[in-house]
Amino acid sequence: MMIMSRTYATRRSSCLLVLLFLSYVAVISVSCGSSIDTFSSSSWDEAYVKATSFVGQLTLDEKVSITTGLGWGGGLCVGNINPIPRLNFPGLCLQDSPTGVRFADLASAFPASINAAQTWDKTLLYNRGVAMCEEYRGKGVNIALQPMMNMGRVAAGGRNWEGFGGDPYLQGEAAYQTILGVQSCGVIACAKHYIGNEQEHYRDQETSNIDDRTIHEVYGWPFMKSVQAGVGSFMCSYNQVNGTYACQNNRTLNQILKDEYGFRGFVMSDWWAAKTGVASALGGLDMMMPGDITANSYPLSYFGKNLTEAVNNGSVSMNRLNDMATRIMAPYYLMGQDKGFPPVSLVGKGVNVQGNHSSIIRQVGAESIVLLKNENWILPFSNKAPQPGKPTTFALIGSDAGPSPSGPNGCGGSDHGCVDGTLAQGWGSGTTNFPYLITPLQAITARASANGQSVSSSLSDWDLNAAADAASKADYALVFANCDSGEEYITVDGNMGDRNNLSLWHNADNMISKIASVNPNTIVIIHSVGPVLMPWLSSVRAVVYAGLPGQESGNALADVLFGDVNPSGKLVYTIAELETDYPAQVVYNSPQPHPEIDYTEGLYLDYRWFDVKNIQPVFEFGFGLSYTSFNYQNLTVTMVDDVPDNINSQNDTVVAHVRYTVLNTGRVAGAEVSQLYLAFPTGLGEPLKVLRGFEKSFLQPGGSAQVDLSLTALEVSTWSVSSQRWQVAHGQYTTYVGASSRDIRLKGSFNL
């Protein structure tokens, strides 16, 4: 976006927060308390009864008003649906973003979704969603415009950080848990951007040409999982899909989403993404956002009076209009928003919704940090001086270590369209205001001071001599670097949404090389929206990938650097040696008015491409180091049931269990993310292996855990274009279990 009574299936989990200290290990077990809820078909049925009754009382104009936003700036929220006072309907507030409540005061700035995914922790993903739900609801937001689950097809894609990485299975699981959390207290989540919106350049003109099998097995998979989670709304994207705009695309909206996936909620347009009225309504669009054709042109709208006229002249049937309005109202009743839902109070009302959410923000921040290199165990830092009587000294180098001179929200206006301090979120509509931002300099200085250690700094990115002087006098040199991206309506340092390349910003490569030449204990900390090139890698002792950690950024980092938290994050994309190693790149320039972007790599996204092309990555998908070590053993695969004849997204069943044991063989407590990959029988055109499960196990030294992962009929199926259904091939399937996509520890097989 631009500018701007229930039946439950219940599962309870326990949260385990591991705090690692150098001298001892403390393990705190906390009950999550909340149930993980999905809405059953009977819940939707009950909501539809209420919605149908409500819509039956509306006039034609009132039905149309439910489908048409009030235009940009037409209400208190970024999207607004008109109230109907005579029926006590207060209207609807739609508000960004995936990092928190946008344009709000007294609200939190959460870690970006890419960081949440890097925890690989389903319970933590859910709990983050719950905290967000509490803030959205407290501010009176009916519909939270998240999660985003585009696939990161191009490594430089501007909005990749708003999603969950480069694998459809991981994206689907993360979206599923996030939706459960966001909807747990009665807020409607929104699955976006459906579908094929993989770059910002030409997003409003290009056509993403994707074959049917790839849509089903890759780009549609996380959206299918969103429907399974009971998501109440979808947002269609700006781009065309195979020559038809996504917000009027009968194939993707009606045939796949509503019919095949069984989606019962409503589809809204991304802001000004709809290009027509009648064709959009017939193509599957239910709600026009923000309502006007261009910004501030309301009441001029493709819907509104034009939709009323289309119904009167028969271009759009009354049945279709009733369906549109009913789909919008059904999630409203499903979430219980007709009873006791708070009024809108985004700013100026004194409504503080932050609660104790700083704790989960800090936890996600710390657990999402990926330790990429740790030569000779230079990390974690010791509380002891390297020489008797001489306190340890740290030099913090680079602007990313410190604050923005204009404050955490002063840089680039309300949507963070610049970078002049530490980076904790990208730019665009996926951002939110920081209530505060703990910088690395603040947190590390506080921690070092408490230890009797000292910190110096050189925050200029261009004064290499001053930086080298500071670094040469310290025991440890911590070089901070970043790179940013966001939405196309903001250009930062010549980057129009998408990054121009994968290099670090602000002279960082030169700075790192310079500091490494004067200090043998150089550690690089990267705050980044995605993968970056690392030409200096061999010259530094450690690399800490911190991503976009939100308001507790510095504290989360210090927790890991000083050993309070054992790093357990894993990469959710591949880091390559060269940008050309990736299967696709951003189309920056095209002579065509509607550029054709052909997804010729098909199923071979991210690590799948590197595998089939035998390209050695710098760091592979799923990689991440720990301060301890883990072993794997005792793999078994047990068939549960015969594969059903009719396999579909609405009736998925478990067909096999994969069990194995993970052991902590080190001397400190820590968490391991074990990953299950599946190889299909040969001859199907599938990648060499695809992710099909993962589990995060928190273990004491010498401790072990049995992991039990399920494989469903869908997960062992491929999409048949000719028969238009999921099919299971007969033959041998191979299971790979390991610590990353290339660090395979156990191998098994089964036959179907």
Side-chain angles (χ1 to χ4, degrees):
M1 193 185 87
M2 284 183 62
I3 332 183
M4 341 240 193
S5 151
R6 302 176 184 173
T7 302
Y8 300 116
T10 303
R11 183 186 71 195
R12 291 189 176 271
S13 302
S14 62
C15 298
L16 192 63
L17 174 62
V18 176
L19 303 180
L20 164 64
F21 295 91
L22 294 180
S23 57
Y24 65 96
V25 175
V27 179
I28 302 174
S29 181
V30 182
S31 173
C32 294
S34 300
S35 299
I36 296 180
D37 307 325
T38 56
F39 295 96
S40 69
S41 58
S42 61
S43 301
W44 277 101
D45 290 344
E46 293 165 7
Y48 258 78
V49 170
K50 294 179 181 179
T52 301
S53 174
F54 177 84
V55 172
Q57 301 174 64
L58 301 180
T59 66
L60 171 59
D61 287 342
E62 287 170 337
K63 293 175 184 177
V64 169
S65 74
I66 288 177
T67 71
T68 310
L70 295 175
W72 182 253
L76 298 174
C77 306
V78 298
N80 305 272
I81 292 296
N82 215 28
I84 303 176
R86 72 179 185 87
L87 294 177
N88 297 316
F89 175 61
L92 297 173
C93 166
L94 297 81
Q95 194 73 7
D96 295 301
S97 75
T99 54
V101 186
R102 188 183 180 206
F103 298 149
D105 60 9
L106 304 175
S108 302
F110 288 82
S113 296
I114 200 74
N115 274 61
Q118 285 174 185
T119 70
W120 294 68
D121 188 324
K122 297 168 190 173
T123 299
L124 198 54
L125 283 158
Y126 170 75
N127 289 341
R128 171 178 173 270
V130 171
M132 287 183 158
C133 181
E134 292 169 355
E135 299 209 7
Y136 282 116
R137 183 183 177 94
K139 288 293 188 179
V141 175
N142 301 93
I143 301 156
L145 302 178
Q146 70 140 316
M148 183 273 216
M149 58 202 75
N150 297 107
M151 283 304 310
R153 172 180 180 260
V154 289
R159 303 185 74 176
N160 290 354
W161 60 274
E162 294 184 47
F164 301 107
D167 178 82
Y169 180 88
L170 177 60
Q171 283 262 14
E173 294 304 302
Y176 187 96
Q177 297 299 333
T178 300
I179 290 164
L180 294 182
V182 169
Q183 296 194 161
S184 66
C185 66
V187 172
I188 300 168
C190 176
K192 65 179 189 181
H193 308 89
Y194 185 74
I195 187 173
N197 186 180
E198 299 296 330
Q199 68 170 60
E200 288 299 285
H201 281 72
Y202 300 109
R203 71 177 186 181
D204 210 37
Q205 297 87 30
E206 62 95 354
T207 176
S208 296
N209 297 326
I210 316 172
D211 68 86
D212 191 46
R213 181 175 178 181
T214 299
I215 285 179
H216 280 83
E217 294 190 24
V218 178
Y219 297 94
W221 188 280
F223 291 104
M224 176 186 70
K225 290 296 294 186
S226 299
V227 176
Q228 292 178 359
V231 72
S233 68
F234 262 62
M235 182 188 291
C236 52
S237 52
Y238 289 106
N239 54 287
Q240 299 179 62
V241 182
N242 297 325
T244 302
Y245 274 105
C247 288
Q248 60 187 60
N249 195 304
N250 180 65
R251 173 60 178 157
T252 58
L253 294 181
N254 287 328
Q255 295 178 12
I256 295 178
L257 177 60
K258 293 181 177 180
D259 293 342
E260 184 185 319
Y261 294 171
F263 176 58
R264 303 183 72 179
F266 66 96
V267 177
M268 72 182 77
S269 67
D270 205 337
W271 270 227
W272 304 289
K275 308 302 180 186
T276 61
V278 171
S280 295
L282 298 180
L285 183 67
D286 302 304
M287 179 187 287
M288 183 80 65
M289 275 292 142
D292 42 11
I293 292 178
T294 58
N296 304 312
S297 66
Y298 190 81
L300 188 63
S301 175
Y302 290 122
F303 277 8
K305 292 181 180 180
N306 284 317
L307 181 56
T308 301
E309 181 181 347
V311 173
N312 283 330
N313 66 28
S315 299
V316 175
S317 70
M318 181 61 75
N319 284 341
R320 172 61 184 132
L321 179 61
N322 288 340
D323 176 58
M324 294 162 69
T326 303
R327 283 178 172 274
I328 293 167
M329 293 305 300
Y332 174 81
Y333 288 111
L334 182 71
M335 298 299 157
Q337 293 186 359
D338 56 323
K339 297 177 181 177
F341 200 83
V344 177
S345 57
L346 295 178
V347 294
K349 301 292 186 180
V351 178
N352 191 327
V353 295
Q354 297 171 85
N356 64 349
H357 298 154
S358 61
S359 61
I360 192 169
I361 291 170
R362 184 169 177 170
Q363 184 184 0
V364 173
E367 291 196 28
S368 64
I369 287 174
V370 183
L371 182 61
L372 293 178
K373 183 177 181 180
N374 193 20
E375 187 178 285
N376 297 327
W377 300 93
I378 191 172
L379 294 175
F381 293 132
S382 171
N383 292 323
K384 298 178 181 179
Q387 300 175 23
K390 180 179 181 294
T392 302
T393 56
F394 302 97
L396 273 59
I397 309 297
S399 64
D400 185 69
S404 166
S406 53
N409 299 310
C411 174
S414 59
D415 289 342
H416 300 281
C418 71
V419 187
D420 61 359
T422 194
L423 183 68
Q425 56 182 257
W427 75 72
S429 65
T431 63
T432 191
N433 290 333
F434 291 103
Y436 60 84
L437 175 56
I438 304 296
T439 68
L441 181 59
Q442 281 178 276
I444 293 172
T445 299
R447 180 58 189 266
S449 177
N451 292 342
Q453 301 162 334
S454 64
V455 173
S456 63
S457 64
S458 177
L459 302 184
S460 170
D461 296 315
W462 304 98
D463 192 340
L464 298 185
N465 291 330
D469 181 63
S472 66
K473 298 173 183 177
D475 296 311
Y476 299 98
L478 280 64
V479 186
F480 287 80
N482 63 38
C483 65
D484 201 0
S485 69
E487 211 163 347
E488 56 84 38
Y489 66 89
I490 296 174
T491 297
V492 179
D493 289 348
N495 296 265
M496 194 183 76
D498 305 311
R499 288 185 281 164
N500 292 338
N501 52 55
L502 300 185
S503 296
L504 288 166
W505 288 21
H506 302 157
N507 201 36
D509 289 337
N510 290 329
M511 178 68 78
I512 293 168
S513 296
K514 179 70 172 180
I515 300 307
S517 72
V518 301
N519 191 313
N521 294 326
T522 295
I523 296 161
V524 176
I525 295 95
I526 298 174
H527 290 110
S528 172
V529 292
V532 298
L533 305 181
M534 302 180 185
W536 36 259
L537 181 62
S538 63
S539 66
V540 303
R541 291 280 301 278
V543 179
V544 179
Y545 222 68
L548 304 172
Q551 68 191 43
E552 288 284 331
S553 176
N555 286 333
L557 177 63
D559 288 342
V560 170
L561 293 179
F562 287 92
D564 299 336
V565 173
N566 191 339
S568 59
K570 303 269 190 173
L571 289 176
V572 296
Y573 43 71
T574 296
I575 296 179
E577 182 176 359
L578 302 171
E579 186 170 358
T580 52
D581 287 344
Y582 293 99
Q585 283 76 41
V586 173
V587 175
Y588 295 103
N589 298 289
S590 174
Q592 301 172 309
H594 296 281
E596 304 263 346
I597 300 182
D598 298 324
Y599 286 43
T600 54
E601 72 282 355
L603 308 178
Y604 296 93
L605 200 67
D606 199 85
Y607 66 92
R608 303 172 175 198
W609 175 264
F610 284 77
D611 284 352
V612 75
K613 296 296 183 180
N614 196 28
I615 300 171
Q616 182 63 39
V618 177
F619 296 108
E620 71 270 19
F621 176 90
F623 177 83
L625 299 174
S626 171
Y627 296 153
T628 188
S629 56
F630 300 95
N631 197 3
Y632 292 63
Q633 62 186 29
N634 302 330
L635 174 65
T636 63
V637 181
T638 306
M639 305 307 296
V640 176
D641 244 324
D642 292 332
V643 178
D645 294 330
N646 182 26
I647 303 170
N648 61 69
S649 64
Q650 303 172 52
N651 185 30
D652 202 11
T653 57
V654 174
V655 298
H657 287 289
V658 179
R659 295 183 177 91
Y660 53 91
T661 301
V662 178
L663 303 90
N664 183 345
T665 56
R667 293 183 292 180
V668 294
E672 172 71 333
V673 177
S674 55
Q675 301 154 46
L676 168 65
Y677 295 86
L678 183 69
F680 285 76
T682 57
L684 298 178
E686 284 292 305
L688 299 183
K689 59 180 179 295
V690 296
L691 183 69
R692 282 295 182 260
F694 60 88
E695 189 66 37
K696 193 168 194 174
S697 304
F698 293 83
L699 299 171
Q700 292 292 329
S704 65
Q706 178 175 289
V707 178
D708 188 341
L709 300 176
S710 299
L711 287 170
T712 70
L714 267 176
E715 291 165 358
V716 300
S717 300
T718 60
W719 180 256
S720 169
V721 176
S722 59
S723 64
Q724 285 294 292
R725 66 186 186 93
W726 294 96
Q727 291 184 337
V728 173
H730 295 289
Q732 185 180 80
Y733 291 74
T734 304
T735 56
Y736 300 98
V737 174
S740 76
S741 61
R742 295 213 168 182
D743 184 6
I744 302 301
R745 309 290 184 87
L746 302 171
K747 180 180 176 181
S749 64
F750 62 94
N751 289 283
L752 290 175

